[in-house]
């Protein structure tokens, strides 16, 4: 997410020197350093996926074995794919759709490969629509934290508080609108100076705060139980579907198969090592998710809460912990502010796929950001309604796979478990089989030796196996 901010800064400064016609797409400027790119990519990767989604799907899918599959997916599919996407973005130097077109043409391949960019952009758009609703939840939690409402709160009361929030479409609409507004604001270029600074400080702050929470969780007397829940694999809890969920989440959490990393890759200077950078981003993202798990599950067990509680997990458990620790209101406020910020930097990167494409088509950045953001906001309203008035509306009940799924569940399933794995497979096939290995070698250097066989054989085979067992 942050990536764009920095890029915009640079673009904006240069556009003052050379006046641009409003309709001329701006040529992307480069990140000022590898560090800035890493911060931008980490900003995109670290978000609700790590702190909200990872713990709750781990709880729903039985813990250890699921975590292990997730880590394997990150290593053998996620990281090689991140390298591929950044590489495609840097070579194409355009929006994800534009870059796919440029590289397919340069390699003498079918122009239809551009469809991969289109599907990725569509996935990012759909994710943004519901991501904004969930990110909106952090805001009333900031208000409650500031007003000291969590002090001494019981698990029952936090549950009731969360249910009240979900039951109120107007409240949800207000926070969803506010969050989407913030996303559009940055994407359109409204926020400029000082953000690079803010981001490089806020991300580490979130990290430190998670460490403090883990420290607190260690005092609950249930830390060991949480560690074995997270790291002791019990394969009987694992189903074909949970493997698909782990795979989909590996893409979601690393911002892959959605154009975000391709869009940011377009701004990466040629002399930066793509592979090393991807490893750093992947490791940081994974650490944040595991820390979130270590902070949350001891509290879940200490208070007899259900690990499979679902999307409300962190909103029901963490306030209880904050309510009992010294300085709880302060830490709670800080936590939800940082979570909001992490979600914000991710949502900006989701919108970037579409905005950079529209921008290439001659639409100004401001118009593209407002138009794209508003469209995602509208779709998001169907998500927030599915949490209350439409909670019984499960339109695809005729298919066993989709039975009982609300619109929100369906968007989540469609993006993470179908669109992202399909985009990922196509990208792996494209870079593994359609791009001349000499060309990918020029981009990846010494790492090519390891990356190439993995992306050519291992990743597609692993993806096909997961598909096979899910469609069977
Ligand atoms: N990686 C982000 C998170 O974990 C979500 C995201 C998905 C961002 C796709 C960009 C693109 O919260």
């Amino acid at each position: 997410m942050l990536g764009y901010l920095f890029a915009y800064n640079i673009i904006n400064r240069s556009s003052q020197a050379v006046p641009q016609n409003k309709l001329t797409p701006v040529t992307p400027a480069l990140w000022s350093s590898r560090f800035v790119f890493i911060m931008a990519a980490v900003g995109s990767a670290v978000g609700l996926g790590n702190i909200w989604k990872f713990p709750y799907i781990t709880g729903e899918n039985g813990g250890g074995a699921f975590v292990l599959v997730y880590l394997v997916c990150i290593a053998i599919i996620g990281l090689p794919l991140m390298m591929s996407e950044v590489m495609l973005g840097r070579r194409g130097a355009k929006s994800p759709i534009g870059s796919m077109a440029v590289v397919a043409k340069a390699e003498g391949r079918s122009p239809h490969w551009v469809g991969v960019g289109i599907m990725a952009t569509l996935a990012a758009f759909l994710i943004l629509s519901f991501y904004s609703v969930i990110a909106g939840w952090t805001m009333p939690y900031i208000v409650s934290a500031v007003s000291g409402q969590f002090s001494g709160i019981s698990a029952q009361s936090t549950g009731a508080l969360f249910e009240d929030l979900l039951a109120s479409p107007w409240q949800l609409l207000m926070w969803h609108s506010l969050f989407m507004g913030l996303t559009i604001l940055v994407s359109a270029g409204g926020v400029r100076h000082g953000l690079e600074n803010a981001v490089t400080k806020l991300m580490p702050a979130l990290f430190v705060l998670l460490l403090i929470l883990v420290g607190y969780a260690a005092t609950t007397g249930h830390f060991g139980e949480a560690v074995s829940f997270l790291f002791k694999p019990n394969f009987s809890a694992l189903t074909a579907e949970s493997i698909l969920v782990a795979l989909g989440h590996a893409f979601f959490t690393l911002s892959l198969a959605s154009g975000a990393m391709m869009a940011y890759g377009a701004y990466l200077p040629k002399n930066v090592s793509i592979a090393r950078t991807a490893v750093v981003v992947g490791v940081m993202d994974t650490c944040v998710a595991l820390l979130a798990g270590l902070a949350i599950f001891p509290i879940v067990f200490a208070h007899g809460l259900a690990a499979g509680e679902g999307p409300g997990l962190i909103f029901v458990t963490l306030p209880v912990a904050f309510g009992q620790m010294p300085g709880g209101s302060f830490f709670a406020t800080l936590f939800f502010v940082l979570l909001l910020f992490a979600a914000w930097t991710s949502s900006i990167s989701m919108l970037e796929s579409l905005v950079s494409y529209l921008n290439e088509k001659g639409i100004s950045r401001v118009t593209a950001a407002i138009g794209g953001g508003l469209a995602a906001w509208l779709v998001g309203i169907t998500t927030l309604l599915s949490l209350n008035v439409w909670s019984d509306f499960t339109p695809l009940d005729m298919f066993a796979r989709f039975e009982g799924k609300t619109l929100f569940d369906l968007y989540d399933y469609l993006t993470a478990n179908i669109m992202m794995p399909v985009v990922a497979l196509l990208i792996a096939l494209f870079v593994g089989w359609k791009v001349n290995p000499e060309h990918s070698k020029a981009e990846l250097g010494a790492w090519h030796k390891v990356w190439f066989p993995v992306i050519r054989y291992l990743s597609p085979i692993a993806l096909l196996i997961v598909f096979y067992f899910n469609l069977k």
Side-chain angles (χ1 to χ4, degrees), residues 136-151 161 165 171 174-175 178 329 332-337 340:
W137 296 351
T138 58
M139 301 191 214
Y141 274 74
I142 295 171
V143 175
S144 300
V146 171
S147 57
Q149 225 182 325
F150 296 148
S151 112
L161 212 68
L165 172 65
Q171 260 215 68
M174 177 171 85
W175 301 120
L178 199 59
S329 295
T333 309
L334 192 59
F335 175 80
F336 286 109
V337 166
L340 171 65

Side-chain angles (χ1 to χ4, degrees), residues 87 91 107 431 435-445 448 451-452:
M87 175 181 87
R91 256 191 89 181
E107 297 288 335
V431 297
V435 169
N436 181 338
E438 287 307 316
H439 298 161
S440 46
K441 198 166 177 188
E443 292 281 341
L444 292 175
H448 188 267
W451 169 85
F452 191 62

Side-chain angles (χ1 to χ4, degrees), residues 301-358:
F301 297 132
H303 293 272
L305 296 162
E309 151 91 32
L313 191 66
I314 65 159
F315 293 94
V316 175
T317 52
L318 286 180
V320 180
F322 288 127
Q324 293 179 354
M325 60 204 267
S329 295
F330 169 75
F331 285 124
T333 309
L334 192 59
F335 175 80
F336 286 109
V337 166
L338 292 175
L339 183 57
L340 171 65
F341 204 91
W344 189 20
T345 51
S346 298
S347 65
I348 294 160
S349 73
M350 287 171 206
L351 193 52
E352 185 61 13
S353 300
L354 183 62
V355 169
S356 58
Y357 172 70
L358 294 176

Side-chain angles (χ1 to χ4, degrees), residues 57-68 229-234 237:
I57 58 176
T58 298
E60 281 183 342
N61 290 279
F66 175 83
V67 174
L68 187 67
F229 177 73
L230 283 171
F231 299 111
K232 211 168 123 208
N234 163 15

Side-chain angles (χ1 to χ4, degrees), residues 44-50 127 131 251-256 258 260 285 346 349-350 420:
S44 169
V46 173
L48 297 173
N50 309 61
I127 293 171
Y131 201 86
F251 301 134
F252 185 90
T253 193
L254 293 177
S255 306
L256 300 173
S258 58
D285 186 78
S346 298
S349 73
M350 287 171 206
M420 289 177 137

Side-chain angles (χ1 to χ4, degrees), residues 175-211:
W175 301 120
H176 166 49
S177 310
L178 199 59
F179 184 80
M180 194 62 90
L182 286 174
T183 304
I184 293 175
L185 193 72
V186 178
S187 189
V191 183
R192 295 197 204 148
H193 304 292
L195 250 163
E196 176 166 340
N197 234 338
V199 166
T200 47
K201 293 197 173 71
L202 286 173
M203 281 293 140
L206 180 65
F207 200 79
V208 171
L209 193 59
L210 278 173
L211 283 176

